[in-house]
Amino acid sequence: MRTVNAYAAPSATEPLVPVTIQRRDVGPKDVQIEIAYAGICHSDIHTVRGEWGPITYPQVVGHEIVGTVSAVGDDVTKHKVGDLVGVGCMVNSCRECENCRAGYEQYCLKGNVQTYTGIDPADGTITQGGYSQAIVVDEDFVLRVPESLDVAKVAPLLCAGITTYSPLRHWGAGPGKRVAVVGMGGLGHMAVKIAHAMGADVTVLSQTLSKKEDGLRLGADHYFATNDPETFEDLGNYFDLIVNTVSAPLDMQAYLRLLRRDGTLVNVGAPPEALPIQVFTLFNNRRSFAGSSIGGIGETQEMLDFCAEHGIVPETELITADEINSAYERVLRSDVRYRFVIDASTFA
Ligand code: NAP
Ligand code: ZN
Ligand code: ZN
């Protein structure tokens, strides 16, 4: 066992504080990673504040992790000491169910092991996330990070990148497809960059026009404010695909009406509240309402390679560990531009 510095939530209502945690010894199939950078995802905030249900405290979160391999177990074949690697939202799965066998570990029928708040099959402890100096992960859940990408910016691809890449791929974002991205935060701005690189016609639907210049610079073709009722009139029956990244409940009816025939609204935003829908809104234009959870390990590697090929990294603001709590407040105010990344050397 190894003791490492980390930041943990002591309860649902208190700020995160410095702690030490134990990382397990490197098992035969394990990779030990010295964490260089960890992104802040809105899911970290939902989790530590108990918004998705009770958790056990203290809890270290963080599932956008990039670092360097410092040790590998005897049976490891995929990674070696010195490699630049990443870890996302999962650190294990059953590997046997039909979804795991098909490469959809995120939909493991026995439940994948999340990077934090999961039960680690290696030792039965509760998994602790990336706001820490080092982590030990089974090699099959460790990704290769292309060296051409800026290491200080790449971490958010491990969640925000794959969570938007997967539905954009699955629902065929590409030339001739009109794609709307709702919410220009961490996930939203990645969806804009990725959908643009896929060749789609991209529209941002943000609460206001305050980030319009950024949106257009990042690859959006159009930008509308959702606080303007005319937006919903002008864009009726228009989109092939809408990716909703908003962390709070929205009026889904209003957004479904923006879909043209056979269009899909896929929700990746994860508010705990139910989202009411009238089926008649789905009958019209044969619309679909869908959800999507991160992406499989193979697909995450594909996304990293796609981003390397297209030179895509997130827009980030680098912070020190003692700035995590104020960064949370800015995320909650929709004042993130567009992902906070923690310099893990400041956990020392
Ligand atoms: P984020 O950076 O906070 O972005 C969310 C954006 O939604 C904000 O920047 C804001 O954009 C908009 N928004 C926030 N509150 C709003 C409100 N009350 N009404 C309308 N718009 C609002 O969060 P994130 O890290 O991108 O995560 C977004 C959501 O996705 C979270 O719920 C997170 O848990 C979830 N998530 C899901 C998965 C998955 O696998 N499905 C993976 C990762 C994250 P504007 O300022 O442009 O309006
Ligand atoms: Zn996340
Ligand atoms: Zn499985």
Side-chain angles (χ1 to χ4, degrees), residues 140-172:
D140 293 334
F141 287 77
V142 176
L143 287 306
R144 289 184 308 282
V145 175
E147 302 266 354
S148 65
L149 296 174
D150 182 348
V151 62
K153 290 180 171 284
V154 76
L157 295 182
L158 277 306
C159 176
I162 184 58
T163 302
T164 50
Y165 179 90
S166 183
L168 288 167
R169 262 281 178 263
H170 182 73
W171 278 280

Side-chain angles (χ1 to χ4, degrees), residues 41-43 46 52 159 163 183-188 206-207 211 223 245-248 250 268-271 292-294 331 334 336 338-339:
C41 177
H42 205 121
S43 300
H46 289 306
W52 288 340
C159 176
T163 302
M184 255 276 286
L187 266 58
S206 179
Q207 292 168 92
K211 296 178 270 190
Y223 202 105
T245 74
V246 173
S247 45
L250 296 182
V268 293
S292 183
S293 178
I294 50 173
V331 171
S334 300
V336 53
Y338 285 86
R339 200 59 144 183

Side-chain angles (χ1 to χ4, degrees), residues 306-319:
F306 175 91
C307 287
E309 188 188 329
H310 293 270
I312 295 175
V313 284
E315 305 294 298
T316 57
E317 210 175 304
L318 192 61
I319 61 167

Side-chain angles (χ1 to χ4, degrees), residues 173-175 191-200 202 218-219 306-307 310 312:
V192 169
K193 289 189 176 211
I194 293 170
H196 174 71
M198 289 175 174
V202 182
L218 301 185
F306 175 91
C307 287
H310 293 270
I312 295 175

Side-chain angles (χ1 to χ4, degrees), residues 35-40 62 64-66 130-132 155-156 340-344 347:
I35 299 175
Y37 298 98
I40 292 180
E64 296 182 333
I65 301 166
V66 165
Y131 298 4
S132 62
F340 288 107
V341 170
I342 309 159
D343 177 349
F347 291 120

